[in-house]
Amino acid sequence: MSDLMFGLDTFGDVPEDDAGKLVSHAAAIRQVVDEAVLADQLGVDVIALGEHHRPEYSVSTPETVLAGIATRTSRIRLASGVTVLSSDDPVRVFQRFATVDALSHGRAEVILGRGSFTESFPLFGYDLRDYDTLFEEKIDLFVKLLDEKPVTWSGTLRAPLENADVFPKTESGHLSTWVGVGGSPQSVVRTAQYGLPLMLAIIGGAPERFAPYLDLYRRAAEQLGTTAHPVGMHSPGFIADTDEEAKEVYWPHYRVMRNRIGALRGWPPIRRQEFDSEVEGGSLYIGSPETVARRMARAIRSLGVGRFDLIYSAGAQPVSARMRAVELYGSKVIPMVRDILAS
């Protein structure tokens, strides 16, 4: 699995400084850039920034931050994780990522999603009753734009296009595009229908339970006559020098964030026992480099994925602990995973 790729994902969670005080949104954005620069130096393959419109997160326009990262890095791929296409305009999304692609000499990737959070819909004037139709129509248009030729298109929720040419073009003629899926079989089949790579968000439970989705993607691509690309997965985690330190740094901030979001979704407050169970055998990759590498290798092997992205921030973990987590992921975890999988 020499072409296996490893990434880091963040939503730009607003961290604490080492005095325990939350930093500003502006400082949080600059912190993400510093983490991406470190990841680039350590040989991490991808940095992916998720779009959010909530006070806990600093990144609302991933491509703007990625453009800043592009000018300070040389090799790391620059992805969104995800771009909420339903509440954006496909033409503008293409233009913005083609611009990042230019600044980074071809390193841009867009990961399109429907969005598991809904704040962007009222913010930009979209009706949540159109949730499914918005994504279906907009991804249809976006895939046509990927040909980088004049586009004629019509739908029900956006003005039609007649022989419209969109600029800038990419130098390679190809903007790398994935679809992020949380667990909807229809979304898996749609991704296969368009011949796009699939990124699975596996954020709870044993990763093996997602094996049917990978199988569905491959079968659908075969039946539809499209290409089944290597599948990616992204899951949350955190790395420190010891298992105990990683859990104790991560847990208090994770609990606050999880309960805040859970209250909006009708979930009961999370108990420490549930957290420990997810760390042991679920989809929280938390611990020392050795522990995290062993668990990542098991998930990669059992699912047969071609890329693993670790969501390395969840709540207000301190700046210094986050930088250490990035450092350990690039310098220790990734080489260990490769060694385990090669043996």
Side-chain angles (χ1 to χ4, degrees), residues 29-226:
I29 290 169
R30 293 190 292 269
Q31 178 61 29
V32 167
V33 176
D34 288 344
E35 287 158 3
V37 169
L38 178 60
D40 180 61
Q41 292 165 352
L42 292 167
V44 178
D45 297 305
V46 188
I47 183 83
L49 309 185
E51 172 192 344
H52 277 292
H53 305 272
R54 294 177 53 84
E56 304 92 339
Y57 306 117
S58 65
V59 177
S60 61
T61 58
E63 56 274 51
T64 313
V65 186
L66 293 170
I69 293 169
T71 63
R72 290 188 54 196
T73 56
S74 60
R75 44 162 306 284
I76 197 165
R77 296 195 62 76
L78 309 169
S80 58
V82 301
T83 292
V84 185
L85 186 65
S86 310
S87 57
D88 211 328
D89 185 83
V91 173
R92 291 300 276 150
V93 172
F94 179 86
Q95 290 176 322
R96 295 193 304 253
F97 275 91
T99 302
V100 175
D101 203 61
L103 289 168
S104 64
H105 295 271
R107 291 184 281 137
E109 288 188 0
V110 55
I111 304 181
L112 304 171
R114 297 194 297 175
S116 61
F117 289 76
T118 57
E119 288 85 1
S120 63
F121 290 82
L123 193 61
F124 300 124
Y126 291 98
D127 192 330
L128 274 168
R129 287 174 295 192
D130 296 326
Y131 184 84
D132 290 321
T133 309
L134 280 165
F135 190 71
E136 284 162 15
E137 291 193 355
K138 290 185 178 190
I139 194 169
D140 187 62
L141 172 54
F142 195 88
V143 169
K144 288 181 168 58
L145 294 168
L146 290 175
D147 290 335
E148 302 197 24
K149 293 173 182 156
V151 169
T152 297
W153 177 91
S154 66
T156 62
L157 297 171
R158 187 207 187 277
L161 294 173
E162 183 66 43
N163 208 35
D165 216 354
V166 174
F167 305 98
K169 309 290 185 189
T170 63
E171 273 179 329
S172 67
H174 172 74
L175 177 63
S176 180
T177 303
W178 297 63
V179 179
V181 173
S184 152
Q186 296 90 334
S187 296
V188 173
V189 172
R190 185 193 296 115
T191 305
Q193 174 193 331
Y194 287 117
L196 294 173
L198 176 72
M199 177 64 71
L200 278 173
I202 304 180
I203 58 172
E208 291 79 14
R209 70 194 178 93
F210 278 79
Y213 291 97
L214 279 86
D215 184 51
L216 175 63
Y217 173 67
R218 291 167 187 142
R219 281 189 293 115
E222 188 179 350
Q223 289 175 21
L224 293 162
T226 58

Side-chain angles (χ1 to χ4, degrees), residues 317-339:
Q317 284 88 16
V319 165
S320 57
R322 267 185 32 183
M323 286 293 271
R324 181 66 175 151
V326 171
E327 181 190 346
L328 291 171
Y329 184 74
S331 65
K332 296 200 167 175
V333 174
I334 293 173
M336 281 182 193
V337 176
R338 291 196 187 281
D339 285 347

Side-chain angles (χ1 to χ4, degrees), residues 240-314:
D241 292 292
T242 67
D243 288 354
E244 206 49 48
E245 184 191 353
K247 285 190 276 195
E248 293 318 309
V249 169
Y250 192 84
W251 162 247
H253 305 288
Y254 172 78
R255 179 182 60 197
V256 169
M257 185 208 64
R258 165 67 168 66
N259 287 345
R260 191 176 293 160
I261 291 163
L264 300 173
R265 300 185 178 187
W267 302 340
I270 188 168
R271 295 168 303 150
R272 179 64 193 244
Q273 188 182 350
E274 293 170 63
F275 170 76
D276 289 337
S277 171
E278 276 293 327
V279 171
E280 284 303 311
S283 291
L284 279 177
Y285 296 81
I286 294 172
S288 67
E290 295 80 7
T291 297
V292 172
R294 196 168 57 247
R295 296 203 53 237
M296 279 175 55
R298 189 182 309 140
I300 290 164
R301 190 174 268 151
S302 67
L303 290 174
V305 293
R307 173 164 148 188
F308 187 108
D309 287 2
L310 185 81
I311 310 166
Y312 67 96
S313 60

